């Protein structure tokens, strides 16, 4: 719309100027026609009676001049006439001729005109024009006749000519505006279509091309412009997002209110060692990776299931322990679950029901009534824990993930003014898929207790809104991205999650060369080995089997890589009580054995499977050592390993091969984007990656690092908090309006 206005306003201004110029040109032309018309009419009017006029003027026969003048003014365009003697005296005049047009007022004694005549004289309301026609008798000047012409017809003609001109220009203006809007629309469509084609070409074709596509420079420009815009916006609103900026915004928007996180997974587990000692572990979890730096910045309390074998031994009598060990930035509150609760709520409903329901990865969800009972019970226990931990009526509660869909509404029932921000870390299924879950309505209602409900992508938001539309009586405000139930609003927005930047793990890691040397030595590889890496929980959604098959295909199609290329898979066992996960574990083991058996030569094996939950420093050592990182998820909300690889590469080297089914693929467009099911495409991308020229690696990596630096996890948290503050503000205003002016004072008191 604004673009149209920008084009139309100058266009219409130019047309108005043209209309003005055309009218005054036409006016001038018309005046000269009227001038000639008047002169001709005067000559004709006098010429018929010229002889009689000449003799009567010569003899100053006043009595007989009158009828001659009366005959002249019979012309409907001549209002009056006067006959003037050679000395300029009036000898006769028609009746009613104003004194200002008498001979002595018009002529000097010597017959010269006293003034110029134009169209500005008036008689009554009529415009008039005076003309003087000399009358000769033989060779002598006998006198002259003054004629007063009625010019009102000229004024009428001029006015209608002006109207006609303006009408013509008006029509031209409307047509031009219409054509401009139309052509803009058409060219915008064409442009966006072309751009989309270019982007698809540039990303989709990358996997199979070793060189940069013809549109790569344009794509890079578009991205650079987008980054500059974001950088400009962030400068205008307080600089890049950082821990310090997040703290500032929290203090400004939520004065004195503590942050409480509710998540199943705890950020630090205490484990009993075989020798009886206790060690602290960090779990392999994207949620923990993202949220831990946020909690370091905001402090407060993280409520989680205490699942470490020495967890109970390390808490105080309120089940609290301060973390991170040695830094004590925030409090960890542990909730203890019975075996039945853990089996039903965590393994059952959450991981055999909701996890496969939300991921399109060919695993059937299982919904058991007994699991649902435990899920509800555990959600209530966590909501109770929140109420125990908060200190005021409107705390900030960050509810995390599919384990706690019911918690937002449970908190809302107990603390109506709480700021409940819920983030769903995995995809949201289509309404159709959600319909297979017998508890769909309850899950949706529970989540709509949130002030703000976040997903990684707009697609997941749209799926959620469609689900609400299908299963609940609620008003959906698609433009405002909100759902209103019972007069209360929940924002439903996309907040792509990320990692901390500057990244702690990357900053504390040894230099890239050192990482590379130590990793190659540890794996017994030669110094010029090519190294691929994958880092995952052993989960069927991560596409680990497809990844290994792509490595096998790579070695089939590029025999020269045999003996030189090794793929290291770090794999943390996960949810091992679930049958599907045990199958996967065995499947991966068998696949590694088969591929290694097929290609092994001497001490070289193409695949190194390093099982275990590795410390973040170890993960980063591998990420820094690798030539290529392959993230092959079959479906993934975001995937933070992709972003960690980017953070790890401060040397701007290394190539990311990334599944198009991850949320990350929408942001890291300089990765080689692939369909992990397509082994030809994926293996071609791996081949491209290991032969990619250093300069291209640097360009791609630099662009991705710029993006992750800007869109870091502090921005993720900051945007959700800012939206929650807005929801709260709107709620307060509508409270005031609905309570009327007399109640405003008491509202002020309550909100302090
Ligand atoms: P996950 O599926 O757990 O989380 P993902 O984004 O893949 O998360 O991140 C996994 C994290 O665990 C990374 O920090 C990684 O380094 C670490 N990790 C993985 N394997 C490891 C291993 N073997 N040893 C040590 N560390 C390991 C969910 C969603 C994702 C979403 C995140 C965050 O499924 O789509 O990105 O939440 O919202």
């Amino acid at each position: 719309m604004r673009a149209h206005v920008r084009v139309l306003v100058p266009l219409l201004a130019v047309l108005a100027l043209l209309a003005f110029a055309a009218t005054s040109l036409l006016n001038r032309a018309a005046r000269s026609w009227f001038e000639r018309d008047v002169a001709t009419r005067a000559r004709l009017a006098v010429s018929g009676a010229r002889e009689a006029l000449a003799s009567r003027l010569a003899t100053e026969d006043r009595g007989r001049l009158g009828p001659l003048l009366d005959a002249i003014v019979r012309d409907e365009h001549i209002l009056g006439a006067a006959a003037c003697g050679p000395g300029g005296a009036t000898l006769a005049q028609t009746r009613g001729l104003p004194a200002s047009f008498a001979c002595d007022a018009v002529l000097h004694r010597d017959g010269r005109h006293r003034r110029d005549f134009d169209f500005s004289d008036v008689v009554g309301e009529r415009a008039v024009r005076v003309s003087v026609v000399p009358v000769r008798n033989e060779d002598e000047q006998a006198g002259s006749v003054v004629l007063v012409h009625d010019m009102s017809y000229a004024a009428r003609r001029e006015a209608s000519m002006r109207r006609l001109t303006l009408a013509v220009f008006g029509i031209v203006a409307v047509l031009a505006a219409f054509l401009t809007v139309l052509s803009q629309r058409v060219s915008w469509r064409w442009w966006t279509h072309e751009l989309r084609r270019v982007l698809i070409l540039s990303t989709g074709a990358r996997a199979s091309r070793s060189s940069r596509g013809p549109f790569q420079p344009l794509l890079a420009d578009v991205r650079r412009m987008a980054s500059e815009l974001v950088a400009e916006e962030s400068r205008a609103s307080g600089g890049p997002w950082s821990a310090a900026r997040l703290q500032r915004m929290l203090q400004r928007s939520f004065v004195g209110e503590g942050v409480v996180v509710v998540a199943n997974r705890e950020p630090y587990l205490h484990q009993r060692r075989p020798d009886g000692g206790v060690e602290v572990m960090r779990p392999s979890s994207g949620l923990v990776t993202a949220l831990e730096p946020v909690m370091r910045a905001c402090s407060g309390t993280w409520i989680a299931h205490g699942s470490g074998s020495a967890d109970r031994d390390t808490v105080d009598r309120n089940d609290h322990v301060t973390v991170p060990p040695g830094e004590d930035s925030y409090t960890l509150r542990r909730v203890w679950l019975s075996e039945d609760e853990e089996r039903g709520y965590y393994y059952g409903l959450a991981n055999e029901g909701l996890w496969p329901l939300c991921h399109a990865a060919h695993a059937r969800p299982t919904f058991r009534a007994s699991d649902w009972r435990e899920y509800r019970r555990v959600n209530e226990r966590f909501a109770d824990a929140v109420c125990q931990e908060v200190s005021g009526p409107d705390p900030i509660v960050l509810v995390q993930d599919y384990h706690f869909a019911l918690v937002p509404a449970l908190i809302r029932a107990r603390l109506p003014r709480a700021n409940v921000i819920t983030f769903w870390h995995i995809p949201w299924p289509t309404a159709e898929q959600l319909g297979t879950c017998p508890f769909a309505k309850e899950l949706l209602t529970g989540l709509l207790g949130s002030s703000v409900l976040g997903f990684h992508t707009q697609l997941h938001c749209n799926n959620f809104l469609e689900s609400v539309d299908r299963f609940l009586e609620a008003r959906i405000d698609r433009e405002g991205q909100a759902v209103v139930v019972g007069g209360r609003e929940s924002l439903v927005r996309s907040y792509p999650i990320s990692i901390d930047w500057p990244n702690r793990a990357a900053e504390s890691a040894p230099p890239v060369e050192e990482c590379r040397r130590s990793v190659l030595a540890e794996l017994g590889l030669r110094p010029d080995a090519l190294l691929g890496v994958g880092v995952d929980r052993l989960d069927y959604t991560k596409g680990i089997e497809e990844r290994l098959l792509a490595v096998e295909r790579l070695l089939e199609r590029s025999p020269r890589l045999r003996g030189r290329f090794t793929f290291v898979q770090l794999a943390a066992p996960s949810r091992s009580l679930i049958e599907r996960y045990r199958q996967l574990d065995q499947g991966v083991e068998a696949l590694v054995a088969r591929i290694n058996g097929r290609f092994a030569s001497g001490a070289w094996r193409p695949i190194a499977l390093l099982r275990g939950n590795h410390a973040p420093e170890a993960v980063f050592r591998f990420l820094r050592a690798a030539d290529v990182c392959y993230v092959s998820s079959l479906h993934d909300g975001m995937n933070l390993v992709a972003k960690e690889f980017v953070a790890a590469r401060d040397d701007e080297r290394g190539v990311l091969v990334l599944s198009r089914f991850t949320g990350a693929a929408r942001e890291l467009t300089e990765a080689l984007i692939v369909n992990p099911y397509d082994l030809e495409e994926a293996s071609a991308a791996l081949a491209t990656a290991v032969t990619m020229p250093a300069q291209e690696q640097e360009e791609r990596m630099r662009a991705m690092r710029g993006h992750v630096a800007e869109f870091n996890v502090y921005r993720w948290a900051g945007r959700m908090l800012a939206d929650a503050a807005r929801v709260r503000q709107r709620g307060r205003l509508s409270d005031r309006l609905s309570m009327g002016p007399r109640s405003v004072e008491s509202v002020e008191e309550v909100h302090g």
Side-chain angles (χ1 to χ4, degrees):
M1 183 66 194
R2 262 193 221 150
H4 293 157
V5 172
R6 273 204 300 276
V7 176
L8 282 180
V9 168
L11 178 77
L12 293 179
V14 167
L15 280 173
L17 273 176
L18 281 176
F20 177 74
T23 333
S24 53
L25 260 177
L26 283 173
N27 257 355
R28 209 174 297 162
R31 283 286 157 103
S32 81
W33 298 330
F34 294 139
E35 210 51 80
R36 279 202 300 277
D37 193 29
V38 164
T40 312
R41 179 173 301 121
R43 256 198 332 275
L44 287 174
V46 173
S47 66
R50 185 175 295 279
E51 280 185 19
L53 274 169
S55 70
R56 288 171 200 176
L57 281 170
T59 56
E60 296 193 0
D61 185 353
R62 293 170 192 250
R64 291 170 65 209
L65 275 170
L68 284 180
L69 295 180
D70 288 342
I72 288 171
V73 298
R74 255 182 234 130
D75 181 329
E76 59 175 335
H77 290 311
I78 299 177
L79 284 180
C84 316
T90 305
L91 300 179
Q93 66 176 54
T94 52
R95 201 166 338 126
L97 184 78
S100 53
F101 300 122
C103 296
D104 49 354
V106 172
L107 300 170
H108 287 291
R109 282 177 170 280
D110 57 3
R112 278 183 302 114
H113 297 183
R114 283 189 184 274
R115 63 181 173 95
D116 285 338
F117 298 105
D118 54 20
F119 292 84
S120 58
D121 291 300
V122 282
V123 172
E125 297 211 327
R126 294 175 182 210
V128 296
R129 168 81 163 89
V130 176
S131 63
V132 180
V133 184
V135 180
R136 307 185 77 81
N137 186 14
E138 310 218 313
D139 283 339
E140 281 194 12
Q141 171 93 24
S144 45
V145 175
V146 171
L147 295 171
V148 179
H149 301 259
D150 177 1
M151 299 306 294
S152 49
Y153 77 98
R156 274 196 305 277
R157 275 188 210 166
E158 270 181 13
S160 57
M161 203 156 58
R162 235 186 342 262
R163 272 200 302 276
L164 190 69
T165 316
L166 289 177
V168 167
F169 272 92
I171 291 169
V172 170
V174 170
L175 271 177
F178 174 73
L179 287 176
T180 308
V181 172
L182 190 74
S183 71
Q184 256 199 340
R185 288 250 159 114
V186 169
S187 63
W188 171 249
R189 283 232 175 107
W190 176 86
W191 194 86
T192 47
H193 172 264
E194 279 300 295
L195 184 64
R196 203 171 299 135
R197 201 171 60 83
V198 163
L199 295 177
I200 289 165
L201 266 177
S202 315
T203 52
R206 272 184 231 157
S208 48
R209 281 185 289 111
S210 59
S211 62
R212 289 147 47 87
F215 297 106
Q216 195 65 25
L218 172 58
L219 183 66
D221 283 350
V222 171
R223 288 212 47 154
R224 198 170 41 248
M225 276 162 58
S227 305
E228 278 166 13
L229 281 176
V230 172
E232 189 55 44
E233 181 222 70
S234 89
R235 266 196 298 283
S237 54
W241 278 100
S242 62
R245 182 171 167 195
L246 183 61
Q247 278 161 2
R248 280 200 302 278
M249 88 87 62
L250 197 61
Q251 281 154 12
R252 224 183 20 247
S253 307
F254 296 93
V255 187
E257 284 144 28
V259 173
V260 176
V261 165
V262 186
N264 173 72
R265 184 65 62 214
E266 50 186 342
Y268 297 92
L269 291 90
H270 288 92
Q271 293 286 31
R272 180 75 54 201
R273 280 199 312 254
D275 65 3
V278 171
E279 65 182 359
V280 179
M281 272 185 50
R282 289 282 304 273
S284 310
S285 152
L287 182 156
V288 171
T289 301
L291 225 63
E292 217 273 330
V294 172
M295 278 307 273
R296 280 175 190 258
C298 301
S299 75
T301 306
W302 180 314
I303 304 174
H305 169 210
S307 57
S309 53
D311 274 357
R312 283 181 194 263
D313 307 331
T314 45
V315 292
D316 64 14
R317 61 195 170 84
N318 296 316
D319 298 325
H320 286 170
V321 54
T322 46
V323 288
E327 292 178 51
D328 300 345
S329 308
Y330 60 97
T331 304
L332 172 59
R333 155 81 192 270
R334 285 173 172 151
V335 173
W336 315 112
L337 300 182
S338 69
E339 263 183 36
D340 283 350
E341 282 174 333
E342 193 177 358
R343 196 179 317 112
Y345 137 82
Y346 177 73
Y347 289 105
L349 202 276
N351 285 314
E352 284 188 288
L354 299 181
W355 179 268
L357 173 72
C358 294
H359 288 93
H362 320 289
R364 265 194 192 169
T366 306
F367 299 110
R368 302 180 195 94
S370 54
D371 291 345
W372 175 240
R373 253 196 320 276
E374 295 302 341
Y375 186 85
R376 281 201 331 243
R377 195 199 329 263
V378 172
N379 271 241
E380 271 168 21
R381 292 197 50 206
F382 273 81
D384 290 344
V386 170
C387 296
Q388 290 157 12
E389 295 299 331
V390 300
S391 52
D394 49 2
I396 307 160
V397 187
L398 308 182
V399 180
Q400 304 301 308
D401 230 356
Y402 59 100
H403 310 91
F404 297 119
L406 307 180
V407 165
L410 292 170
I411 296 176
R412 180 71 55 209
R414 294 163 167 83
L415 298 165
R417 288 189 6 230
N419 305 286
V420 183
I421 302 173
T422 304
F423 193 76
W424 193 262
H425 289 257
I426 61 178
W428 187 269
T430 61
E432 202 76 358
Q433 289 158 341
L434 184 69
T436 62
C437 174
F439 322 115
K441 270 190 185 180
E442 288 89 335
L443 295 172
L444 292 167
T445 310
L447 286 168
L448 288 174
S450 317
S451 321
V452 174
L453 172 56
F455 295 93
H456 292 297
T457 68
Q458 191 54 44
L459 177 69
H460 303 158
C461 295
N462 296 347
N463 285 350
F464 182 83
L465 294 179
E466 288 308 320
S467 306
V468 171
D469 205 14
R470 179 84 61 93
F471 296 104
L472 296 186
E473 288 292 323
R475 186 164 71 76
I476 298 173
D477 173 2
R478 286 182 198 272
E479 208 169 320
Q481 297 173 288
V483 176
V484 182
V485 189
R488 218 190 45 74
E489 170 189 64
S490 302
L491 289 189
V492 178
R493 301 220 166 136
S494 69
Y495 305 92
I497 208 165
S498 195
I499 54 173
D500 54 330
W501 195 288
N503 186 273
R504 281 173 81 88
E507 288 208 322
S508 57
V512 167
E513 268 320 307
E514 201 180 312
C515 291
R516 189 169 166 79
R517 252 197 320 275
S518 72
V519 164
L520 295 185
E522 187 178 317
L523 297 172
L525 300 175
R526 51 195 238 205
D528 68 341
L530 293 168
L531 195 65
V533 68
V535 182
D536 307 80
R537 287 182 301 104
L538 264 169
D539 194 299
Y540 54 86
T541 61
K542 302 292 180 185
I544 300 170
E545 289 161 303
E546 286 73 7
R547 187 179 312 169
L548 300 176
L549 291 172
V551 171
E552 179 180 35
R553 182 76 193 102
L554 171 72
L555 296 174
E556 279 170 3
R557 59 192 288 167
S558 307
R560 66 195 166 76
L561 291 176
R562 297 178 195 171
R564 185 148 182 237
F565 178 80
T566 300
F567 194 86
V568 189
Q569 177 64 51
L570 309 191
S574 182
R575 305 171 193 171
S576 339
L577 289 190
I578 298 174
E579 176 58 22
R580 179 70 186 86
Y581 284 81
R582 285 201 299 270
Q583 278 171 8
L584 173 77
D585 196 322
Q586 289 158 12
V588 167
E589 282 281 354
L591 197 54
V592 171
R594 184 178 69 68
I595 297 170
N596 279 347
R598 180 175 171 198
F599 293 103
S601 86
W604 176 77
R605 302 275 178 284
I607 297 169
L609 180 63
L610 305 184
R611 300 169 61 88
N613 176 30
H614 303 266
E617 304 77 59
V619 172
F620 269 72
R621 206 161 56 89
F622 279 96
L623 293 176
R624 280 161 86 79
D627 296 285
V628 51
C629 172
Y630 183 19
V631 172
S632 55
S633 308
L634 306 183
H635 201 189
D636 215 333
M638 174 56 68
N639 193 288
L640 292 181
V641 175
K643 292 187 175 179
E644 286 175 331
F645 179 60
V646 168
R649 301 318 294 257
D650 49 15
D651 60 337
E652 296 180 344
R653 291 294 178 83
V655 181
L656 176 62
V657 179
L658 180 58
S659 159
R660 69 170 49 146
F661 306 121
T662 59
R666 287 159 197 263
E667 295 181 70
L668 304 178
T669 50
E670 283 78 11
L672 301 182
I673 309 288
V674 297
N675 169 2
Y677 292 96
D678 181 347
L679 298 183
E680 294 306 315
E681 185 186 55
S683 58
L686 290 173
T688 300
V690 293
T691 53
M692 187 180 283
Q695 194 197 340
E696 186 177 349
Q697 291 183 34
E698 280 168 17
E699 283 174 18
R700 288 175 185 272
M701 189 52 81
R702 200 173 305 138
M704 291 192 286
R705 285 176 64 79
H707 181 87
V708 181
E710 191 74 51
F711 294 84
N712 59 35
V713 77
Y714 303 114
R715 183 178 190 274
W716 171 78
R719 283 184 60 231
M720 284 196 293
L721 285 167
D723 282 349
R726 267 193 289 277
V727 169
R728 179 171 74 164
Q729 189 59 21
R730 276 212 290 269
R732 286 179 175 178
L733 284 175
S734 70
D735 279 355
R736 286 180 199 201
L737 289 176
S738 63
M739 291 168 89
R742 290 182 59 214
S743 308
V744 168
E745 215 172 290
S746 53
V747 172
E748 300 276 18
E749 267 169 34
V750 172
H751 292 298

